[in-house]
Amino acid sequence: MKLGLLASHRGSSVQAVVEACASGRLAAVPRVVIGNNADAEVLARARRHGIPCCHLSGSTHPDPARLDEAILDALVSHDVELVVLAGYLKKLGPQTLRHFAGRVLNIHPALLPKFGGQGMYGRRVHEAVLAAGERETGVTIHLADDEYDHGRIVAQCRVPVLPHDTVESLAERVLDLEHVFLVETLAAIVSGAVKLP
């Protein structure tokens, strides 16, 4: 399976996928990494592994339609079959979503439909989970569409919220599981155990 990976900042989930591919645990190959911040650590990670990468954002393409076109071109030119939004904080444009319909996965650090939507990312999600007094949270992998955190859920796993949890401790436990769960879910998709539309 040829993967296109998009991220906005550190790219630790991208790293987990790249390592799983390199070790043979995941029968896939990262074909391109796209970051929407020029100095994002994810781009440096991609370069270290020799994976083609590029910065595409509103600063490189101020017109949203042109940005959408550039992202689609980058994915198509690298022969991508499945797009993975791994900590990518922007919505994909309509051309890209149409071309890869049913083949764009997003990872969210909570049990959707709870604690999703515009602005719900990173520590904000974990703050909201703790403020709501939830006893569990988790990781959701879903098909991306034109709304934030909205498309069909592909897989979920649960993480207990412990009485002494802080935003930091909860975020760390969820992220650790996210890395493992993303690789497991991708492997299930590659093997056909999980079917995409």
Side-chain angles (χ1 to χ4, degrees):
M1 179 86 63
K2 300 165 190 169
L3 304 177
L5 301 158
L6 284 75
S8 291
H9 296 296
R10 289 187 313 148
S12 61
S13 292
V14 169
Q15 182 74 32
V17 171
V18 168
E19 289 175 359
C21 292
S23 70
R25 288 181 292 124
L26 177 58
V29 57
R31 293 301 297 261
V32 65
V33 172
I34 299 171
N36 65 306
N37 290 307
D39 55 355
E41 189 180 336
V42 71
L43 297 177
R45 289 180 192 269
R47 289 184 200 103
R48 284 196 297 273
H49 288 278
I51 301 166
C53 63
C54 54
H55 163 228
L56 296 172
S57 70
S59 31
T60 63
H61 296 77
D63 176 8
R66 296 284 186 197
L67 175 58
D68 183 13
E69 194 175 278
I71 290 172
L72 178 57
D73 285 349
L75 294 169
V76 169
S77 68
H78 287 92
D79 201 22
V80 166
E81 296 172 303
L82 183 67
V83 179
V84 181
L85 309 180
Y88 187 66
L89 304 182
K90 301 288 184 181
K91 283 198 281 190
L92 288 180
Q95 295 178 80
T96 304
L97 287 172
R98 194 162 44 247
H99 184 89
F100 288 98
R103 292 181 292 143
V104 180
L105 296 177
N106 183 52
I107 312 158
H108 186 75
L111 296 174
L112 292 176
K114 288 184 175 182
F115 310 109
Q118 187 167 7
M120 290 300 286
Y121 60 87
R123 68 179 288 121
R124 294 178 186 180
V125 175
H126 308 300
E127 285 170 352
V129 166
L130 291 175
E134 295 288 316
R135 293 187 178 178
E136 65 177 7
T137 185
V139 177
T140 300
I141 296 175
H142 68 95
L143 293 174
D145 60 18
D146 60 356
E147 294 181 46
Y148 285 106
D149 305 323
H150 175 260
R152 191 190 101 192
I153 292 171
V154 173
Q156 285 184 317
C157 64
R158 298 173 186 278
V159 174
V161 177
L162 304 178
H164 61 272
D165 262 329
T166 62
V167 170
E168 291 73 22
S169 66
L170 184 59
E172 184 177 344
R173 279 208 326 285
V174 170
L175 186 62
D176 286 346
L177 184 60
E178 181 180 306
H179 295 160
V180 174
F181 188 59
L182 174 58
V183 170
E184 288 176 350
T185 303
L186 289 173
I189 290 168
V190 169
S191 73
V194 169
K195 307 277 188 202
L196 298 182

